[in-house]
Amino acid sequence: EPKSGIFGRFEGTGSFDQDDPTGAELELKIDTSSIDLDDTMASGFAQSAEWFDSKNHPYVIYKLVSLEPIEGTRYQAKGLLTMRGEERPITSVIDLSISADAASAKGGLNIVRGDYLLGVGPSAIFVDIGPEVIVRFDLQAARVK
């Protein structure tokens, strides 16, 4: 049965123009020590050196590179994801809604753990996590006046 968790702390900046969504900019900084897997031991384990290594790599960084329309409010987002010092290009489909005062983006990312050295080392044999992890997101942004 799939397990889920959340990151409790993150921050970001971005700019969106409802008349030109393809010109969007976004950078997110996610605090790896804020992971909550609904189990104190599992959350601590996820922060350990063989997983997020929160002590040496306190943040996961996502930077949007391009946003291309697919159909309606659906876009293909291409970005760069940096985790544990490893930066890789990543692509996802998002549902983007932009108004004069707010923007929302919903979607998901498939992350290959090995690309970011997540779960390398002896502890990996004790954890039942597949080679890919799905990260779902629902970002809400308000206009800064």
Side-chain angles (χ1 to χ4, degrees), residues 23-138:
E25 296 178 4
L26 178 66
E27 186 165 330
L28 293 174
K29 189 172 163 181
I30 302 156
D31 183 341
T32 60
S33 70
S34 74
I35 191 165
D36 182 354
L37 299 172
D38 206 27
D39 176 304
T40 304
M41 200 160 94
S43 298
F45 193 66
Q47 295 171 44
S48 73
E50 293 179 10
W51 292 85
F52 282 112
D53 192 11
S54 297
K55 182 178 177 182
N56 295 306
H57 301 282
Y59 300 103
V60 170
I61 308 285
Y62 175 83
K63 182 173 173 64
L64 180 66
V65 173
S66 70
L67 196 60
E68 301 164 6
I70 298 174
E71 180 182 359
T73 59
R74 293 183 57 205
Y75 290 81
Q76 182 178 59
K78 293 182 179 178
L80 292 173
L81 187 66
T82 304
M83 194 174 342
R84 288 183 51 106
E86 300 292 324
E87 181 182 78
R88 300 275 189 271
I90 195 157
T91 301
S92 63
V93 174
I94 65 169
D95 187 14
L96 179 64
S97 173
I98 302 174
S99 69
D101 293 322
S104 73
K106 296 178 185 176
L109 301 169
N110 284 11
I111 296 174
V112 178
R113 290 189 304 112
D115 287 352
Y116 301 96
L117 309 175
L118 282 177
V120 296
S123 72
I125 62 172
F126 300 109
V127 180
D128 186 20
I129 298 177
E132 283 194 2
V133 176
I134 299 168
V135 177
R136 300 196 194 288
F137 57 86
D138 184 350

